[in-house]
Amino acid sequence: MASAPRPLPWILFGAFGTAALLGLGFWLDPVWWLMWLAPIPMLTAVPRLGFWAALLTAEAAWLGGTARIWAYLADSLETPPAFVIASAAVLTGLYTAATLLYRLLIRRGRHWTAFFAFPAGVVAVEYAGSLINADAGGEWWSLAYTQAGQTAILQLASVTGVWGITYLLTALPTAAATILAPGSEPRRGLGIAGVAAACLAAALVWGVARPADQGPTIRAGALALPAHADSLRIDTEEGEELFADYTRHIENIGARNDLDVLVLSEKIFHVTAEETGPYLDRWSDLAVRARIDLVLGLALDVGGDTYNAAVWIPSNGHQPATYFKQHLVPGLEDWMTASDTGPASIPGVGGGWSMTVCKDLDHAATMAEYGDEDFGLVLAPALDFGVDGWWHSRVAVTRGVEQGFSLVRAGQMGLMTVSDASGTVLAEDERFVVAEVPTGPVGTIYDRFGNWFLMPVIAALLGAVVLALVPRRDAERRVAPSTRTETDAP
């Protein structure tokens, strides 16, 4: 009789191995290539463990690997602790369920189904999270953004949104674990490896060949000067000093550079309804003197409410245009009012331009309106929280790939980022950048068909659940002798 394997080494390998890789790979400044390995220890371990040991391994791996993100939400964003705890519990539970489904399928001898099921389960968890947290987070939470610096992979977002990138990112390590799983056969392993390699090759070919001609270019910049706080009152000494600093910098930029548009950061000043007209006139005079169109982030009082606004101030002295932020940060922006007016069109070279504000770029459905209206350039005041500068800018860059627009984004405590419709970062710095940026829109499959990729993913997941509940007659004979423990269950 074959001796039962010791579970502790597999528990430690699966839990700590994946938690360590995930903790470094799924982070605000990720080690991107680790994500292509992260699930392997966990997926290798769980088919070799009893149910309760596998449950513990999966929960420890997912919770440990995402712990830094939860800490960031609680600390930097001041998210209520109850919300963080509940969200961590729900997402960890769902990720664990996807892992246990993989385990059960392997133990049923359904290796092909397991190979497709685990990536589908991870995508389904991300989608469920975007629905549960639709107002506050949108599509902010996704493994896909860890690959935002890899332009060839990022092009997949123009077809499938972030869902296809997450699927590919988890499918390759799933293939490796499935080939190594108990009961795996050489011919089946070769087939799984071939499908995984073909998917990666197809994504890379599309990433290299994707047409993204955006036509004419302009010189665009982003600027954020140091400030002790956001939403400074303009009638205070500190507010006047900061306005004077911006005036000097913008006049100097106008004298040195042939700059067409300059984006400033989010809610720099708080302006009352009575102050709005005269104050915007001061900025309009500055735009005319510098010969630069400006986009200014303000907290504006309008009709008894305070809105988080992006204000377009043209250099020809014409009337400003205003966009109000639609998705506010829970807790930190509870004193403001969300808008539902949609994007604001502004005139520009090469087609329509528009504005948005920071967190609105976390929401794929909101930004789909920009793709529908064929905006080729989006100008975005933003704030950020220091540690999340890379991550939040890359979430925004990914929206540009999905909807086919260039982006100029100014993150006050993050990064100044200029990118094109392929997600190529044309310029980036902590305080000031200038770049030649194309302004024409690029049509994308994702803009036209939306979340179409979720349909086959959810169908595959539901099919896998059904097959997992139906044991194969030869599964126990092929898998059980080398893997079962005395307390084991399928």
Side-chain angles (χ1 to χ4, degrees):
M1 179 178 178
S3 61
R6 294 173 181 251
L8 185 58
W10 284 113
I11 293 173
L12 296 176
F13 172 69
F16 286 98
T18 289
L21 294 170
L22 192 60
L24 294 172
F26 184 48
W27 176 233
L28 304 175
D29 186 13
V31 183
W32 65 271
W33 58 270
L34 291 179
M35 290 304 298
W36 297 90
L37 306 174
I40 293 176
M42 177 185 67
L43 295 181
T44 303
V46 292
R48 294 170 166 87
L49 294 170
F51 175 80
W52 295 109
L55 175 67
L56 173 64
T57 300
E59 286 188 336
W62 284 112
L63 185 60
T66 57
R68 298 171 75 192
I69 296 289
W70 300 118
Y72 151 78
L73 294 173
D75 183 22
S76 298
L77 270 63
E78 300 179 16
T79 307
F83 181 83
V84 173
I85 293 171
S87 298
V90 169
L91 285 183
T92 299
L94 292 174
Y95 280 128
T96 298
T99 307
L100 294 178
L101 174 62
Y102 171 85
R103 169 192 176 271
L104 183 56
L105 287 164
I106 291 293
R107 295 177 72 86
R108 298 290 197 206
R110 301 188 184 277
H111 292 64
W112 271 106
T113 307
F115 164 59
F116 289 109
F118 181 74
V122 174
V123 171
V125 173
E126 288 189 358
Y127 180 60
S130 74
L131 296 179
I132 295 169
N133 198 22
D135 291 333
E139 283 73 27
W140 182 91
W141 180 288
S142 176
L143 305 182
Y145 302 121
T146 64
Q147 307 304 303
Q150 314 312 308
T151 308
I153 295 295
L154 187 58
Q155 302 318 298
L156 191 55
S158 69
V159 179
T160 65
V162 293
W163 319 118
I165 299 176
T166 295
Y167 191 95
L168 180 66
L169 186 59
T170 49
L172 266 69
T174 302
T178 304
I179 292 168
L180 298 173
S184 181
E185 299 172 352
R187 176 182 290 184
R188 183 162 51 193
L190 282 174
I192 290 172
V195 170
C199 290
L200 178 60
L204 292 174
V205 168
W206 171 251
V208 172
R210 180 197 171 205
D213 181 12
Q214 289 188 262
T217 64
I218 62 162
R219 281 181 65 78
L223 171 69
L225 298 181
H228 296 301
D230 62 75
S231 305
L232 292 175
R233 291 286 184 176
I234 65 172
D235 58 355
T236 63
E237 181 178 354
E238 189 175 8
E240 276 299 315
E241 289 176 353
L242 186 58
F243 177 80
D245 286 343
Y246 271 107
T247 298
R248 286 192 295 272
H249 278 80
I250 291 170
E251 287 178 340
N252 289 337
I253 292 168
R256 296 195 316 265
N257 298 286
D258 181 19
L259 198 62
D260 296 296
V261 62
L262 179 66
V263 180
L264 308 183
S265 57
E266 180 182 0
K267 54 183 179 184
I268 306 171
F269 302 103
H270 187 172
V271 185
T272 66
E274 294 77 15
E275 296 166 330
T276 298
Y279 191 66
L280 292 185
D281 286 343
R282 296 175 67 185
W283 283 96
S284 182
D285 291 342
L286 174 59
V288 171
R289 292 198 307 274
R291 301 183 301 278
I292 302 172
D293 295 337
L294 301 176
V295 175
L296 171 65
L298 296 175
L300 282 182
D301 290 347
V302 179
D305 294 316
T306 302
Y307 292 91
N308 191 331
V311 183
W312 164 261
I313 303 175
S315 59
N316 58 13
H318 289 179
Q319 189 71 16
T322 304
Y323 168 84
F324 293 139
K325 188 177 183 181
Q326 300 183 61
H327 301 279
L328 302 175
V329 179
L332 292 177
E333 292 184 327
D334 286 349
W335 60 285
M336 309 187 87
T337 299
S339 171
D340 59 359
T341 56
S345 178
I346 53 180
V349 175
W353 299 2
S354 190
M355 296 179 289
T356 190
V357 177
C358 197
K359 193 166 181 56
D360 287 352
L361 285 155
D362 294 350
H363 296 259
T366 298
M367 301 318 297
E369 299 177 33
Y370 291 70
D372 292 343
E373 297 194 26
D374 289 331
F375 291 125
L377 178 65
V378 175
L379 309 169
L383 187 63
D384 299 335
F385 298 91
V387 68
D388 64 351
W390 187 92
W391 182 272
H392 214 189
S393 68
R394 291 324 188 263
V395 172
V397 168
T398 302
R399 295 289 93 80
V401 177
E402 290 174 345
Q403 301 301 331
F405 57 74
S406 295
L407 177 72
V408 183
R409 183 180 185 274
Q412 174 66 41
M413 294 185 288
L415 296 170
M416 312 297 111
T417 305
V418 182
S419 61
D420 63 16
S422 69
T424 300
V425 175
L426 306 173
E428 189 165 69
D429 196 19
E430 293 184 353
R431 286 298 170 200
F432 175 58
V433 293
V434 175
E436 292 281 344
V437 58
T439 60
V442 175
T444 70
I445 296 172
Y446 185 70
D447 174 44
R448 184 171 182 181
F449 297 105
N451 289 329
W452 69 270
F453 186 72
L454 290 174
M455 290 187 287
V457 164
I458 292 173
L461 181 60
L462 293 176
V465 171
V466 171
L467 290 175
L469 298 176
V470 181
R472 293 177 58 173
R473 291 183 179 180
D474 60 344
E476 290 296 313
R477 178 176 60 82
R478 287 190 292 177
V479 177
S482 62
T483 62
R484 291 182 66 89
T485 66
E486 292 182 0
T487 59
D488 197 10

